[in-house]
């Protein structure tokens, strides 16, 4: 068997297994993800979206905003969670961070 044939077979096998892995990659949202999405969509206040206090030291608040935003983005990863309202929740989260970070 030539090297080219073996290489093509290996690539085909790898492609099949990687497709199977990707299918299983998306899962139903966990309870934490569901609660966080519902909480974000129900919030009226930008500070409530990020769960930070509206007043305080500017430098500390900036770090708290950044950390809260990153934590919530990791929890609501669009590559792993298949919730229909996930994009809307992430948009509100990003909007709150962008506005409050300025």
């Amino acid at each position: 068997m030539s090297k080219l044939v073996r290489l093509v077979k290996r690539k085909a096998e790898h492609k099949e297994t990687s497709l199977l892995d990707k299918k299983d990659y998306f899962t139903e949202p966990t309870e934490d993800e569901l609660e966080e999405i519902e909480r974000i969509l129900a919030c009226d206040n930008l500070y409530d979206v990020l769960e930070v206090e509206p007043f305080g030291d500017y430098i500390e608040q900036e770090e708290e905003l950044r950390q809260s935003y990153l934590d919530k983005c990791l929890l609501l990863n669009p590559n792993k969670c298949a919730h229909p309202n996930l994009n809307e929740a992430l948009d509100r989260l990003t909007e709150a961070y962008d506005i409050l970070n300025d």
Side-chain angles (χ1 to χ4, degrees):
M1 186 181 295
S2 74
K3 286 184 178 181
L4 181 59
V5 171
R6 284 191 298 237
L7 180 63
V8 169
K9 283 186 177 182
R10 265 192 244 137
K11 283 190 175 188
E13 289 171 0
H14 176 70
K15 190 173 185 179
E16 288 175 13
T17 57
S18 66
L19 288 176
L20 291 174
D21 293 343
K22 287 180 183 177
K23 184 178 78 174
D24 294 334
Y25 193 65
F26 291 99
T27 60
E28 290 297 316
T30 63
E31 195 64 36
D32 290 340
E33 291 168 338
L34 286 173
E35 288 175 5
E36 189 65 20
I37 290 169
E38 290 173 8
R39 187 194 64 75
I40 289 172
L41 294 177
C43 288
D44 294 330
N45 186 337
L46 297 177
Y47 289 100
D48 292 340
V49 171
L50 290 167
E51 295 182 312
V52 294
E53 293 296 320
F55 300 105
D57 184 30
Y58 177 74
I59 294 172
E60 289 177 12
Q61 185 177 8
E62 186 176 352
E63 180 60 30
E64 187 179 355
L65 283 170
R66 185 181 145 291
Q67 190 62 47
S68 176
Y69 177 72
L70 291 176
D71 290 344
K72 291 176 187 336
C73 285
L74 286 174
L75 176 65
L76 302 177
N77 187 341
N79 293 327
K80 293 185 179 182
C81 180
H83 191 279
N85 295 332
L86 177 65
N87 288 335
E88 184 181 349
L90 285 172
D91 288 345
R92 290 194 68 186
L93 185 65
T94 302
E95 177 187 14
Y97 178 73
D98 288 342
I99 291 171
L100 295 176
N101 197 35
D102 283 339

